[in-house]
């Protein structure tokens, strides 16, 4: 899955990222820009996504990424999903992805494929009982 957060309109980089994943043999679903959070959750469920790439270009949209990540993590059917982020704010501060709760970050498409493969090779760390206690 690949989406931009909330009202983020800068989707060209994300579209190219999705194309690179497809060229590497991944089954991808490009959701695009300006997708409501509920629709992202529905798409992850419907397509049984394992990795979600979230793009943020404008720093003032970081809170939207954090909100989306929280929703994905706290929804029973999507809590297992690995979440990667990318975009300008994360290229400035390469530790920022940890602050908003993502599983990983990649500065470009080639690095993103490698990061996604590594994330999927890691055991799941989230379970529903832990989420209920939050």
């Amino acid at each position: 899955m690949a989406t931009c957060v909330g009202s983020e309109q800068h989707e060209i980089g994300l579209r190219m990222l999705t194309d690179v994943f497809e060229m590497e043999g991944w089954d991808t679903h490009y959701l695009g820009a300006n997708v409501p959070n509920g629709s992202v959750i529905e798409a992850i469920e419907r397509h049984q996504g394992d990795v979600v790439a979230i793009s943020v270009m404008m720093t003032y949209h970081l809170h939207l990424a954090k909100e989306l990540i929280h929703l994905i993590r706290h929804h029973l059917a999507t809590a297992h999903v690995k979440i990667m982020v990318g975009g300008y704010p994360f290229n400035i501060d390469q530790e920022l992805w940890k602050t908003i709760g993502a599983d990983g970050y990649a500065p470009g498409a080639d690095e993103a494929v490698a990061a996604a493969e590594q994330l999927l090779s890691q055991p799941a760390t989230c379970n529903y009982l832990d989420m209920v206690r939050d």
Side-chain angles (χ1 to χ4, degrees):
M1 295 284 146
T3 189
C4 296
V5 292
S7 58
E8 183 71 65
Q9 297 295 319
H10 297 88
E11 62 181 318
I12 292 173
L14 185 65
R15 178 70 244 181
M16 292 188 308
L17 173 77
T18 307
D19 290 344
V20 169
F21 270 82
E22 285 186 9
M23 289 186 297
E24 292 294 324
W26 289 68
D27 182 16
T28 65
H29 297 280
Y30 175 70
L31 303 178
N34 206 21
V35 180
N37 288 346
S39 296
V40 174
I41 299 291
E42 286 177 26
I44 296 169
E45 283 185 81
R46 182 176 2 142
H47 298 291
Q48 300 176 357
D50 295 314
V51 177
V52 175
I54 300 173
S55 176
V56 182
M57 181 58 75
M58 308 305 290
T59 55
Y60 54 83
H61 286 149
L62 284 169
H63 73 282
L64 298 173
K66 187 173 184 176
E67 179 182 311
L68 177 56
I69 291 168
H70 178 82
L71 291 172
I72 292 169
R73 297 249 190 261
H74 287 82
H75 190 276
L76 181 58
T78 61
H80 71 284
V81 171
K82 302 295 185 176
I83 302 170
M84 296 176 45
V85 293
Y88 181 70
F90 304 103
N91 291 341
I92 293 172
D93 179 355
Q94 296 187 356
E95 298 296 311
L96 183 59
W97 62 273
K98 296 174 185 176
T99 305
I100 66 165
D103 295 306
Y105 149 81
D110 291 335
E111 297 93 346
V113 171
E117 289 171 349
Q118 180 181 7
L119 286 174
L120 288 178
S121 71
Q122 298 172 354
T125 57
C126 178
N127 81 36
Y128 182 66
L129 293 176
D130 290 337
M131 292 186 319
V132 172
R133 289 187 207 122
D134 284 348

